[in-house]
Amino acid sequence: MTDLKSLLERAAGTDPVVTDDDVAADLSRGRRAARRRRFAGAGLTTVAAAVVVGALAVPLAFAPGAHSGGSDSAVSAPPATGPATGTGTAMSAGDVLLVAAAHEEKAEPTTGKYFRVRKVQSREWTVMAGGKIVCCGSIPAGPGGYKLRELTVTETWTGLKGGTAWLGSRSLGAHPATAADEAAWRKAGAPATWNAGPTDTAGKQDQVISSKPGKATFFELKDDADRYTALGINGTLQDVLALPSDPEQLRARLLGVKAAAAPDASDVAALAQISAGLLSDTPALPKVRGAAFRLLAGLPGATVKQNVTDLGGRTGTAVGFSFPAYQLNLRLIVDPKTGKLLSSSHTGGKNGDSTILLSGWTDATPEAPPAAIK
């Protein structure tokens, strides 16, 4: 089996420690670069479609056209919307991401037997007036109908090469999506279960949606050990640990992933999506995670919103990227004081919403996900 400690030691190198003065210098350089970007008039490419790379990877957003696959301007922070420090002042999206970068670069690499990722996924069901239920919310409910929102917790435990992997899932129940849906649901008799008909599994058993948390499923997937699909369908731990810690070099590496998986994708959209997947779904080294945040800080079109609470009840500053043509949005919630990434999520598309609750190495024994969001 792979010796994770040795791999980490070889990959970590001898990079200098990041200090608070480095953070201040980062923010100053970011603003200067932002002014250069604003003068150059960089913009965000429109997205026209999306593709999922692997079952657990973040989707890549496409933007075919005259500029698809073209180069974007050099990595730098977007225009600052206010001072980054001081009481009562607002931070720009670039500032938030640069603080997060500094936080990651100060961290020490961790080890464990499994790399665990827990996420909560949301999808909508449409219930027709006669009681028929259809996935995934894109069909109008019509008179007498309503929509349900079902939350499901999934958890992956990825072992080292030569080991194994586990996948667990548990529904937390379905409930009316809005107040209007709740009124229609009550008028329909407030049912607690809905039969969606036979599944596509070998047993063809009926899929019953319930308002109560369901039983967990938990499977061993030996072929998924040492697999990190955020870097492509065949991504491995060695691939993750070999990622460069220089933002421009990382950018080139991730564009290579895009070229192999979705050559017509917009560079901006692909870099945003793959970088977020790298941060949430892989055990990238701290210095590489820092480079990913710096890369994101240089992408145009980012927005910032303070005091945002994620599904786990944690409050921070949200940095968002929006691709309206596909109704796809990416959001990173960061603790503005510490720079810690609290959660990341993407919304839109047929896969619904997905929020990362935790990710990291663990020596714990694999088990099914909990019947609550935590």
Side-chain angles (χ1 to χ4, degrees):
M1 183 180 293
T2 301
D3 183 347
L4 177 58
K5 188 173 183 296
S6 297
L7 284 175
L8 289 174
E9 289 175 349
R10 290 200 299 270
T14 56
D15 285 356
V17 174
V18 178
T19 67
D20 290 338
D21 289 339
D22 295 328
V23 178
D26 272 344
L27 295 176
S28 178
R29 284 193 296 270
R31 288 196 182 91
R32 290 197 299 271
R35 288 192 289 271
R36 292 195 299 271
R37 176 182 291 278
R38 188 162 60 246
F39 180 76
L44 177 63
T45 306
T46 302
V47 176
V51 60
V52 174
V53 181
L56 299 176
V58 178
L60 291 180
F62 285 98
H67 299 288
S68 63
S71 61
D72 298 305
S73 52
V75 173
S76 58
T81 58
T85 59
T87 304
T89 58
M91 298 176 73
S92 72
D95 289 342
V96 174
L97 293 169
L98 288 174
V99 171
H103 167 83
E104 293 293 347
E105 289 163 345
K106 289 180 180 180
E108 293 292 330
T110 58
T111 63
K113 295 180 180 178
Y114 295 93
F115 187 75
R116 178 174 57 175
V117 177
R118 180 184 297 164
K119 64 179 69 176
V120 59
Q121 295 175 303
S122 168
R123 62 174 172 176
E124 284 191 349
W125 296 86
T126 299
V127 183
M128 305 297 190
K132 181 180 179 181
I133 182 170
V134 182
C135 181
C136 295
S138 59
I139 300 176
Y146 53 93
K147 292 191 177 185
L148 299 171
R149 185 186 188 210
E150 181 185 20
L151 296 180
T152 301
V153 176
T154 63
E155 195 160 332
T156 58
W157 302 68
T158 303
L160 301 173
K161 185 177 181 180
T164 189
W166 296 84
L167 172 63
S169 178
R170 186 196 300 267
S171 172
L172 300 182
H175 303 278
T178 66
D181 291 318
E182 181 175 0
W185 165 72
R186 292 188 182 281
K187 190 173 182 180
T193 60
W194 303 263
N195 192 328
T199 64
D200 56 2
T201 60
K204 298 295 183 182
Q205 297 178 334
D206 283 359
Q207 182 178 11
V208 178
I209 311 302
S210 175
S211 59
K212 298 180 180 180
K215 293 183 179 180
T217 60
F218 197 53
F219 301 99
E220 184 176 18
L221 302 170
K222 292 186 176 181
D223 290 342
D224 282 357
D226 192 38
R227 178 175 293 181
Y228 296 95
T229 54
L231 294 180
I233 194 66
N234 295 315
T236 66
L237 178 60
Q238 286 196 328
D239 293 330
V240 173
L241 297 182
L243 289 170
S245 58
D246 175 80
E248 286 291 352
Q249 294 177 11
L250 180 62
R251 174 192 178 94
R253 174 68 178 87
L254 299 188
L255 287 177
V257 173
K258 184 213 81 165
D264 294 328
S266 155
D267 284 358
V268 170
L271 287 170
Q273 300 281 330
I274 302 174
S275 295
L278 184 157
L279 289 167
S280 61
D281 289 336
T282 79
L285 292 172
K287 58 186 179 181
V288 176
R289 293 174 62 84
F293 275 116
R294 294 178 191 279
L295 191 161
L296 286 167
L299 297 181
T303 60
V304 63
K305 184 177 182 180
Q306 298 179 354
N307 300 318
V308 175
T309 302
D310 69 7
L311 288 174
R314 298 165 295 191
T315 301
T317 299
V319 175
F321 293 89
S322 180
F323 308 109
Y326 194 69
Q327 298 182 346
L328 184 65
N329 299 286
L330 171 70
R331 186 175 73 172
L332 304 175
I333 299 180
V334 175
D335 185 327
K337 295 181 180 180
T338 66
K340 180 181 179 182
L341 177 64
L342 301 178
S343 66
S344 66
S345 63
H346 68 271
T347 63
K350 67 179 182 180
N351 296 314
D353 304 354
S354 178
T355 299
I356 302 294
L357 297 176
L358 65 84
S359 65
W361 288 106
T362 179
D363 287 320
T365 300
E367 61 181 355
I373 297 176
K374 59 181 181 178

